[in-house]
Amino acid sequence: MTQNINKFGVQDIWSVFKKNLILILIFSFFSCVMFGFVTCKKMINIFKNSNSIENNSQIYVASIDCYVEPSTEILSNENSNFCRAIPDDIIALLNSDICANYIYEKLLNLHTKEYLLNNTNIISNENNTNKIITIDDVKNLYACKREKSTMLIKLSSFAYDKKLAEDILNFCREYTNLKLKKVMKYAQIHESKSTIKLINTEELLTENYMDANFEQKNNISKKNILKVVIKYFMLPVMALVFLLIFGLCLISYFNPNLNRMSDFCEYNVPVLGEVKK
Amino acid sequence: MQKNIIYNEENFKYLANNIIDISRNESKKVFGFTSSLSINNKRINDLYINIPKNIYEIILNKGIKIKLIDNSMLELDNIKLKENLDFDINNYDLIFVCISNILQNSESFECAKVCKNIILIEKYMYSYYKNYEKILFYLGQFNIIPRGVITVK
């Protein structure tokens, strides 16, 4: 028998597959139905969430213009390219994880997580209580953009609640004042008066507030659907079917079949012939 | 409804010739057809009868006196079968006896003892090494000669 086990090969696996094709198909069908149901439930959750965002068709945008004025020391310096890079540095620092984390911690001191989820465009696939707000989610609550070839930076924050939009913007400014001023010794930041506007969410794309960020957010929701389909449907179905085939192969490995004419030749019984369909 | 499987006729002609060749050297020209396949499997239980029947028809067309006894349902016990064979052996050149799985039915094994010459019918994917080895062992224990094996694809 050990000799027979050693002979277990591709043809034997193929024979297992052929022999149990109906069982594999039925099993695959029921797995698809079962995990399809689970995926549908998850999808409904996502669509419910996206609908609640669509319902909030208007969003508050708090914005402020900051003018970065290089110090006279820098201006007198021959290397003027250095001061040109200052606004980019400020934007990079505002877009950093440290800044997002600072804003998130400050927001949590003032508001609850549920409040943040309900009043921002952070998409939650799960129940709001289970959702973890990531750094990327926080980064989508504000945007900073340099006006083309100028020293002007436009800082904006977005929320479905007026107060929250103002809070986010204030924390951005606070971070700029607290951290950046220490770093940027060579420039002064002049801020304009903050404005708050209620605009349609679609206008976010056209008004150049956060062209990159908001588009990315829409992609994330599409990605979420794909993720759910892969995570809750394709992977489990494939894993189960693979497990079934593996199990059947294992059974066949320990209790092998005679699958070819040469298998009969070992027993000193002549093969009189083979009958084919 | 069970689907009738159409087998290649040339294969049966080849098998018939081989069995005729074997029978030339035999004094007692009785061949029992059995298998290690389970008789409970509906997809394969017709092999016990269909394959000997097809070979029988081809040999019959060659003008050889042949008789087919279908004892797969065990209508005849070993004593009655022996009586029948003793009577028929002088009237026929060849006698085929269909016997069901001797591992699953002790009476079938008694019938196999009466036939002495056994031809095994085995199907790929359905015949297990374990059962095939067991059937050869049992046949060997009682000096029953397995004259050959017919494999079914």
Side-chain angles (χ1 to χ4, degrees):
Chain A
M1 186 63 83
T2 44
Q3 266 185 338
N4 304 331
I5 285 171
N6 290 339
K7 270 172 57 185
F8 194 83
V10 178
Q11 201 186 332
D12 299 284
I13 295 169
W14 176 241
S15 296
V16 170
F17 191 78
K18 252 168 70 180
K19 190 178 165 185
N20 300 293
L21 189 65
I22 294 167
L23 174 75
I24 292 166
L25 286 176
I26 291 170
F27 187 80
S28 307
F29 173 76
F30 281 107
S31 303
C32 284
V33 169
M34 195 170 79
F35 289 104
F37 181 72
V38 174
T39 312
C40 278
K41 270 183 91 176
K42 293 276 172 193
M43 296 277 259
I44 288 164
N45 262 348
I46 289 179
F47 284 120
K48 264 185 190 171
N49 272 309
S50 65
N51 280 344
S52 69
I53 286 161
E54 273 168 27
N55 290 341
N56 292 327
S57 57
Q58 288 192 313
I59 195 163
Y60 284 100
V61 180
S63 51
I64 192 170
D65 289 332
C66 303
Y67 179 69
V68 183
E69 190 187 16
S71 66
T72 45
E73 198 182 312
I74 288 288
L75 284 172
S76 62
N77 198 317
E78 281 177 11
N79 193 359
S80 59
N81 283 340
F82 174 71
C83 65
R84 286 253 161 234
I86 294 171
D88 289 334
D89 285 354
I90 294 170
I91 289 166
L93 283 162
L94 275 166
N95 284 330
S96 69
D97 288 356
I98 315 157
C99 177
N101 201 39
Y102 174 85
I103 292 165
Y104 180 54
E105 277 172 12
K106 285 280 177 187
L107 284 171
L108 277 185
N109 287 340
L110 287 179
H111 311 286
T112 60
K113 199 169 86 176
E114 284 73 36
Y115 176 83
L116 293 179
L117 285 166
N118 290 333
N119 292 291
T120 57
N121 55 355
I122 297 169
I123 296 169
S124 156
N125 297 338
E126 323 277 333
N127 293 330
N128 280 354
T129 44
N130 298 333
K131 165 76 183 175
I132 298 160
I133 300 175
T134 62
I135 292 291
D136 287 332
D137 290 330
V138 179
K139 280 182 187 174
N140 282 325
L141 301 179
Y142 65 93
C144 40
K145 198 182 169 199
R146 182 182 181 179
E147 293 296 325
K148 223 175 189 179
S149 311
T150 63
M151 302 296 275
L152 202 70
I153 299 168
K154 195 176 183 73
L155 197 63
S156 313
S157 65
F158 321 95
Y160 296 112
D161 181 62
K162 191 179 175 182
K163 175 82 174 55
L164 186 62
E166 282 175 338
D167 286 343
I168 296 164
L169 189 71
N170 284 336
F171 292 135
C172 285
R173 285 167 64 192
E174 200 178 290
Y175 185 80
T176 318
N177 291 332
L178 271 171
K179 308 283 173 182
L180 293 179
K181 270 190 179 171
K182 282 183 195 168
V183 181
M184 303 302 206
K185 289 174 187 170
Y186 310 107
Q188 273 191 320
I189 298 171
H190 299 284
E191 290 173 357
S192 70
K193 215 180 161 188
S194 66
T195 56
I196 188 134
K197 278 198 282 184
L198 185 67
I199 63 161
N200 289 327
T201 44
E202 294 134 20
E203 283 177 53
L204 275 177
L205 296 171
T206 53
E207 294 241 348
N208 271 348
Y209 285 109
M210 49 182 302
D211 38 8
N213 274 354
F214 205 78
E215 225 166 18
Q216 200 181 19
K217 197 148 182 63
N218 284 343
N219 284 340
I220 285 167
S221 64
K222 276 177 196 167
K223 265 185 197 170
N224 277 342
I225 293 167
L226 200 71
K227 239 192 222 174
V228 167
V229 172
I230 292 170
K231 193 177 166 187
Y232 295 102
F233 182 74
M234 284 170 77
L235 285 179
V237 168
M238 279 166 74
L240 274 180
V241 172
F242 179 77
L243 215 67
L244 175 77
I245 295 170
F246 179 74
L248 291 170
C249 285
L250 210 67
I251 292 167
S252 181
Y253 180 78
F254 288 112
N255 189 13
N257 289 104
L258 294 140
N259 292 324
R260 51 188 92 72
M261 201 191 266
S262 62
D263 293 345
F264 293 92
C265 297
E266 300 163 8
Y267 297 96
N268 295 325
V269 180
V271 178
L272 297 175
E274 189 181 51
V275 180
K276 291 175 190 169
K277 277 179 205 172
Chain B
M1 211 177 94
Q2 205 168 324
K3 201 169 77 177
N4 282 326
I5 301 162
I6 301 159
Y7 293 106
N8 190 337
E9 209 189 318
E10 280 306 308
N11 296 148
F12 287 111
K13 283 179 183 170
Y14 181 79
L15 280 167
N17 291 336
N18 280 345
I19 291 168
I20 292 164
D21 271 351
I22 296 167
S23 67
R24 280 190 189 125
N25 307 321
E26 296 293 325
S27 53
K28 201 179 174 187
K29 296 170 181 181
V30 181
F31 288 91
F33 287 82
T34 187
S35 173
S36 68
L37 294 163
S38 166
I39 47 170
N40 302 327
N41 192 331
K42 282 184 182 175
R43 288 176 76 176
I44 50 176
N45 65 359
D46 62 323
L47 291 177
Y48 291 104
I49 309 140
N50 282 353
I51 287 173
K53 203 175 165 187
N54 279 302
I55 300 167
Y56 159 82
E57 279 167 8
I58 289 164
I59 294 174
L60 196 68
N61 289 341
K62 283 177 186 272
I64 296 168
K65 280 184 182 177
I66 183 167
K67 190 182 181 183
L68 179 75
I69 302 167
D70 181 5
N71 200 25
S72 56
M73 303 305 282
L74 293 164
E75 289 93 352
L76 306 168
D77 59 19
N78 59 330
I79 301 156
K80 276 184 188 168
L81 181 69
K82 199 172 185 312
E83 281 170 9
N84 280 13
L85 289 175
D86 287 340
F87 177 76
D88 290 331
I89 200 89
N90 300 320
N91 301 327
Y92 292 96
D93 300 325
L94 265 174
I95 299 167
F96 285 178
V97 185
C98 302
I99 310 163
S100 69
N101 188 337
I102 59 169
L103 297 176
Q104 283 182 315
N105 201 315
S106 56
E107 199 57 44
S108 295
F109 192 60
E110 294 306 310
C111 292
K113 282 179 190 171
V114 174
C115 296
K116 282 285 178 191
N117 292 314
I118 288 293
I119 291 171
L120 295 162
I121 303 165
E122 300 296 337
K123 188 167 166 62
Y124 299 143
M125 295 197 297
Y126 291 90
S127 294
Y128 290 96
Y129 272 98
K130 190 177 72 181
N131 294 344
Y132 187 65
E133 283 170 1
K134 207 187 265 181
I135 210 167
L136 292 179
F137 175 76
Y138 285 155
L139 292 173
Q141 289 283 303
F142 291 89
N143 291 324
I144 306 165
I145 313 144
R147 301 302 306 190
V149 58
I150 297 168
T151 59
V152 184
K153 209 169 185 183

